[in-house]
Amino acid sequence: MSETLSGETLSGEASSSETPSGERHLGQRVAAFRELRGMSLRALAAEAGVSSSFLSQLENGRTNASVGSMRKVAAALGVSPAQLLDDSAAHTRGVLRAEQRPTIQLDGAEKFVVSLPPLRNLEVYAGSFAPGGSTGEEAYTHGNAQEILVVTGGSIVLQLGDERYAMHAGDSIEYLSSAPHRVSNESGADASVLWINSPPTPDETPHAP
């Protein structure tokens, strides 16, 4: 028996002249998530491997989706199929638990992904630094976004180009991510920071000089 979602088989993307309300609601949630991600219809279709016409019909409630197609669309949106079916969650991807955050291991420090892709206008990372920890031996750059560094605990030193800034909990600074920068903890206590970038910077090896 073939697996179906609201009457559509996995082998195709069938349309219906009388699409049930479930399909209309599914299409509305797909559109809401797409807009939340800042993705065009064409971009989402390409990422999901479906046609733009099918996606347009789905969002407008004029066709239903196979389980396979729904999974591909959900993956392209960065959500689970269950989230597409939950009409209470179209405005958020839900809570990202601290223990589930993707982690970048640094030199005596860790950088945590707070904003999961696909992203629209900004990306956010949290960092924790043990005494003596840093983002690496050398300053690094990434893209040409506005970056805001906020110290959320302890004290750090930001090396920005040829300048050094001693910063403490509650302090913040804004700069271009294309400027060489490095964060280090020269104190004897743990420190923590947030990095906020707008727009998101290119996906590249983190902290490469």
Side-chain angles (χ1 to χ4, degrees):
M1 179 181 296
S2 62
E3 188 177 12
T4 63
L5 174 67
S6 301
E8 186 199 353
T9 67
L10 281 169
S11 60
E13 294 152 352
S15 61
S16 170
S17 59
E18 296 183 358
T19 307
S21 61
E23 277 72 37
R24 290 196 298 272
H25 293 160
L26 173 62
Q28 290 168 359
R29 290 192 289 278
V30 169
F33 274 117
R34 179 174 63 78
E35 291 171 3
L36 184 65
R37 304 296 176 264
M39 301 177 74
S40 68
L41 190 144
R42 181 175 296 179
L44 176 58
E47 184 71 20
V50 299
S51 69
S52 296
S53 60
F54 160 71
L55 189 60
S56 176
Q57 291 179 37
L58 177 65
E59 290 191 356
N60 287 284
R62 293 197 297 269
T63 189
N64 47 25
S66 68
V67 173
S69 295
M70 183 182 69
R71 287 174 176 164
K72 290 191 290 185
V73 170
L77 288 169
V79 300
S80 68
Q83 285 175 290
L84 283 185
L85 295 173
D86 181 3
D87 61 6
S88 68
H91 58 286
T92 179
R93 295 175 63 182
V95 177
L96 174 60
R97 302 297 177 186
E99 64 274 12
Q100 297 173 339
R101 297 179 298 184
T103 303
I104 302 168
Q105 296 294 332
L106 303 176
D107 184 10
E110 291 181 315
K111 190 170 186 177
F112 305 99
V113 179
V114 177
S115 53
L116 296 176
L119 304 169
R120 184 173 184 176
N121 296 320
L122 57 82
E123 58 186 347
V124 183
Y125 294 88
S128 63
F129 294 82
S134 72
T135 52
E137 289 294 325
E138 302 293 334
Y140 66 100
T141 64
H142 51 101
N144 189 40
Q146 285 183 296
E147 180 163 291
I148 299 175
L149 173 67
V150 183
V151 182
T152 54
S155 301
I156 58 93
V157 173
L158 170 67
Q159 177 187 333
L160 182 61
D162 296 329
E163 302 294 327
R164 282 170 52 90
Y165 298 90
M167 300 176 61
H168 310 284
D171 293 345
S172 63
I173 188 172
E174 182 269 336
Y175 49 89
L176 289 176
S177 63
S178 54
H181 53 283
R182 175 180 181 267
V183 176
S184 60
N185 180 3
E186 299 180 3
S187 74
D190 291 342
S192 58
V193 305
L194 283 177
W195 290 273
I196 304 168
N197 288 276
S198 179
T201 56
D203 184 13
E204 57 190 39
T205 302
H207 308 288

